């Protein structure tokens, strides 16, 4: 099976570095499946889960809040604003953040408040979707 090098890094840490057979991410233009030999590409990432398919077929889920995905002939690099392994997401904290964003949206005082609330709602929705994906895998 063909493989390629993959590095997933955030501002704080490297979350994954190794050989993979495929990576699936939400790019600016839609969902992307990158396999060895893919055409070089650079795209912005939307908040959501990145699925890293290892050589043995197992998958790792990593939540990213956004960033850049770069594909080179033998290397895929994800530079994320924030990245967390899916199993480390705190569902209770995310639900609390969602409630706070909904309250901010309901009590908005400016366009800046609206934009911040909508961004927070989008991020919490993507985080909860990532948690749902990992829970569905466990069943």
């Amino acid at each position: 099976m063909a493989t390629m090098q993959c590095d997933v890094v955030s501002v704080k840490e490297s979350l994954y570095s190794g050989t993979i057979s495929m990576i699936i991410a939400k790019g600016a233009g839609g969902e992307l499946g990158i396999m060895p030999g893919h055409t070089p590409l650079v795209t912005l990432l939307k908040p959501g889960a990145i699925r890293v398919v290892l050589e043995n077929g197992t998958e790792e889920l990593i939540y990213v809040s956004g960033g850049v995905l770069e594909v080179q002939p033998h290397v895929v690099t994800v530079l994320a604003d924030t990245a967390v392994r899916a199993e480390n997401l705190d569902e209770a904290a995310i639900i609390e953040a969602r409630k706070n964003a909904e309250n901010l949206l309901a009590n908005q005082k400016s366009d800046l408040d609206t934009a911040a609330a909508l961004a927070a709602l989008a991020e919490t929705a993507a985080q909860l979707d990532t948690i749902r994906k990992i829970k569905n895998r466990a069943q």
Side-chain angles (χ1 to χ4, degrees):
M1 171 184 285
T3 61
M4 61 189 163
Q5 175 65 31
C6 177
D7 297 298
V8 179
V9 296
S10 72
V11 174
K12 293 183 179 181
E13 65 184 322
S14 173
L15 277 93
Y16 181 84
S17 182
T19 308
I20 65 167
S21 60
M22 182 177 195
I23 185 168
I24 301 162
K26 291 181 183 175
E31 193 165 74
L32 299 164
I34 309 295
M35 298 177 73
H38 195 284
T39 303
L41 165 79
V42 174
T43 186
L44 293 175
L45 292 172
K46 290 184 177 182
I50 291 179
R51 292 174 36 210
V52 179
V53 183
L54 308 179
E55 290 179 84
N56 63 8
T58 62
E59 289 185 12
E60 286 199 27
L61 276 181
I62 300 172
Y63 169 79
V64 296
S65 64
V68 177
L69 179 132
E70 178 187 33
V71 179
Q72 291 297 322
H74 303 288
V75 180
V76 175
T77 305
V78 175
L79 303 170
D81 300 329
T82 303
V84 179
R85 292 190 185 281
E87 61 268 11
N88 294 337
L89 288 172
D90 182 348
E91 188 171 10
I94 294 166
I95 291 170
E96 184 64 28
R98 183 181 186 103
K99 287 177 186 175
N100 291 339
E102 288 169 345
N103 287 337
L104 184 61
L105 191 59
N107 301 312
Q108 61 190 343
K109 293 180 176 75
S110 69
D111 289 343
L112 188 58
D113 288 344
T114 303
L118 291 174
L121 283 173
E123 186 166 343
T124 57
Q127 289 172 333
L128 291 171
D129 185 55
T130 301
I131 289 172
R132 182 186 51 77
K133 286 179 182 177
I134 203 159
K135 283 183 177 179
N136 285 343
R137 266 215 233 143
Q139 295 175 351

